[in-house]
Amino acid sequence: MTPEQAASLMDAVPMALVLIGRDERVIAANKVSQGLFGNNLEGRHYITVLRQPAVLDCVERALKAGETTEKQFPSRDATRDTTYQVIATPVRTEIVRGALLSLEDITHVQEATQMRRDFVANVSHELRTPLTALLGFIETLRGPARDDPAAQERFLEIMAREAERMNRLIHDLLSLSRVEAEERMRPTDMVDLASLLTSASTTLGQTAADHGVELSLTGVEESLQVPGDADQLLQVFTNLIENAIKYGGGRAEVNVSVSERDPALRGPAVRVEVKDDGDGIDPLQLPRLTERFYRVDSHRSREIGGTGLGLAIVKHIVNRHRGRLRIESTQGQGSRFVVILPAPE
């Protein structure tokens, strides 16, 4: 087999492959490996091609000790950090003797593992605080406050609030899990968007009044039919409107508006905008708002009952509906959350 034939065969493999002979020179390399190490690799000594100590060690052991060696090594290109799984396997055939080096990009596996770790750590942290408070109050009620009705009433109120906080967190976690499980299943039922927005605004009317916020709704005079899951879309708009009320600042105005055209999607689309005139959000924080458990102001969010999962749930629901979520904000001038949903032709 000629080097050209070997390279042609290796090109069919969707990972970087480098075939190294007993003379420690590259016999053949596929196109994926050329993207990593450059062109014209054939004939060069493998040390001048690979250079990474972890990779060189694998090749050396495969060539000299005849051992299959496996390692991971991190790399960095112009855009991101990357992790490769490296395997060097001895090759002993009648045609070729040497080592075959394979490099597989496992960055997505590493990122998924890190996401799971972060998720468990965040959930543990969110539950630990109210649990610690509950255990402390229970101990106090059993001891110093055993015969103090006033203290008992005060502590029981705080305990109820902390228990409700845990209940909200568990509810949001279950909701997020369900939304993620259904994200690839595009809804086909037709729902009236105007009716959903009216329902969400009516439900939150008292909340707006309690916060001194004037809530207005425009563009829902006529039915607006879109394909969607009614319960999930109601959850999206309820979350966005409630956030605008609670985070927009006291004595503010929250406006919910609908328009039937938006150029963001290729076909017909409906645009729903939730705007407040509160303090606004630092532009540097906007890209992270839909991350799980990310909060602009952690203390304030917990004080008003936020779990840090609301916008993550919104993002997944909008993705399931093949829509777009846009967030715009200027500090001191309020925020604008825009949901763009595809509409029937």
Side-chain angles (χ1 to χ4, degrees), residues 207 211 213 241-250 254 300 304-306:
T207 302
H211 285 76
V213 172
I241 296 171
E242 186 175 23
N243 281 353
I245 292 170
K246 292 182 176 180
Y247 294 100
V254 172
R300 183 182 179 189
I304 64 178

Side-chain angles (χ1 to χ4, degrees), residues 191-195 219-226 260:
V191 298
D192 183 0
L193 202 58
S195 177
V220 295
E221 293 77 18
E222 297 181 1
S223 175
L224 293 171
Q225 296 290 323
V226 298
E260 294 189 61

Side-chain angles (χ1 to χ4, degrees), residues 251-271:
R251 296 298 170 187
E253 180 180 354
V254 172
N255 177 256
V256 183
S257 60
V258 187
S259 58
E260 294 189 61
R261 290 289 179 268
D262 194 288
L265 301 182
R266 294 180 180 179
V270 176
R271 172 190 176 99

Side-chain angles (χ1 to χ4, degrees), residues 259-314:
S259 58
E260 294 189 61
R261 290 289 179 268
D262 194 288
L265 301 182
R266 294 180 180 179
V270 176
R271 172 190 176 99
V272 180
E273 179 179 301
V274 180
K275 182 181 180 300
D276 66 69
D277 56 0
D279 297 332
I281 304 168
D282 187 337
L284 295 176
Q285 302 194 62
L286 294 181
R288 300 193 60 190
L289 288 182
T290 57
E291 292 180 14
R292 299 174 185 179
F293 298 108
Y294 184 79
R295 296 179 173 94
V296 175
D297 185 338
S298 297
H299 178 73
R300 183 182 179 189
S301 175
R302 291 190 176 95
E303 284 294 314
I304 64 178
T307 63
L309 293 173
L311 288 179
I313 294 172
V314 166

